[in-house]
Amino acid sequence: MTDSVRAFLRNVATGIKDSILGIGTISKLDARIQQKREEQRRRRASGALAQRRAQSEERKPDSEPKLASRIFQCCAWNGGVFWLSLFLFYRVFIPLLQTLTARIIGDPSLHGNVWSWLEFILTSVFSALWVLPLFVLSKIVNAIWFQDIADLAFEVSGCKAQPFPSVSKIIADMLFNLLLQALFLIQGMIVSLFPIDAIGQMVSLLHMALLYSLYCFEYRWFNHGVEMHQRLSNIERNWPYYFGFGLPMALLTALPSSYIVSGCLFSILFPLFIISANEAKTPTKLYHFQLRLFSLVVLISNKLFHKTVHLQSSLTSSVSTEKLPSPHTSPVRQRPLSSQ
């Protein structure tokens, strides 16, 4: 029992340390990326003509994205544009307008009725015409920038990205991944409603920390060709380490009461923790027991995913007017052969 507690605390502390200290490597990564690219150019420039081309390329300004600039763009967009606009509207514009209308109307009771309607209309228009479109745009832009940051960080490692067998498998992996993460998030929200508030909040925090670790390590594992079931197994078998790794982000994003503000904060912090995950030295020794928190959502995701595949298959067959015999077994109906 004592050994388990010690191992738990040691792994949690290691996860927290890796998540925080990994951020400090950002300043060195750009220099390592540039050095690696220059070495690749020298290898290519073997002949005289290739050397001339390499010299002309060196004179051109480097248009390839840099890690620090991408991270700065994420912080400037999510913090400087999105979060600042929310702060100015709710903390500056609305209070000033409320004070101004109170002085113009004069009567407190009449001002209370007018202001309640005016505030509702203004906040609704602001949310519909600014917050919602900007939130959707931010999700798209952030997804592109997050991928750039992950690819640049992976480039330094010297490893070659492992391609998935097919495009269809990549799409299936992404869809299954999104469904599973959404269900796991719902599971975390449900356990937070536990009657004993302290226990509910602790278990919910455990869910969020593990989910954030999955987010951060997903880019690294995807480039290494690690499939979804293996990613979840990694987290469940070494859950104290991944709990510690995701804990700082889970605590920081839990501070704001607004979901939008929490999302902005997540988008600012997430690129930093992608770097930390890429630089982290994950433990090779497994923890004493596996925490199967993902088992239920994996079961539900498998059921929903297979039902969707069966429904799509039946719709396709019903739309088809010609029913020609196929020489191949349908992938949906095909059963795996038992291993000998």
Side-chain angles (χ1 to χ4, degrees), residues 179-249:
L179 177 62
L180 186 140
Q181 290 173 3
L183 291 173
F184 191 74
L185 185 61
I186 294 170
Q187 179 178 300
M189 292 177 179
I190 292 171
V191 297
S192 67
L193 303 175
F194 192 75
I196 303 174
D197 188 60
I199 296 176
Q201 293 302 319
M202 282 298 298
V203 179
S204 177
L205 183 66
L206 173 63
H207 276 72
M208 294 309 299
L210 293 180
L211 184 62
Y212 285 156
S213 284
L214 178 61
Y215 287 161
C216 295
F217 281 89
E218 197 167 36
Y219 295 93
R220 170 179 168 176
W221 288 334
F222 187 86
N223 283 327
H224 280 290
V226 180
E227 296 187 5
M228 191 63 198
H229 68 278
Q230 186 59 48
R231 298 174 212 166
L232 299 179
S233 178
N234 289 344
I235 289 179
E236 288 183 337
R237 290 176 184 274
N238 277 313
W239 63 271
Y241 173 82
Y242 292 106
F243 169 65
F245 188 93
L247 187 60
M249 192 189 296

Side-chain angles (χ1 to χ4, degrees), residues 19-28 275-276:
S19 67
I20 295 172
L21 294 183
I23 298 172
T25 62
I26 293 172
S27 58
K28 303 174 185 176
I275 306 299
S276 295

Side-chain angles (χ1 to χ4, degrees), residues 17-49:
K17 183 192 73 173
D18 286 351
S19 67
I20 295 172
L21 294 183
I23 298 172
T25 62
I26 293 172
S27 58
K28 303 174 185 176
L29 287 178
D30 266 333
R32 286 161 60 188
I33 291 169
Q34 193 63 29
Q35 184 181 0
K36 191 172 179 62
R37 286 173 179 170
E38 286 175 1
E39 288 174 0
Q40 289 174 349
R41 283 175 192 149
R42 286 195 200 101
R43 288 193 202 114
R44 288 196 220 108
S46 54
L49 182 60

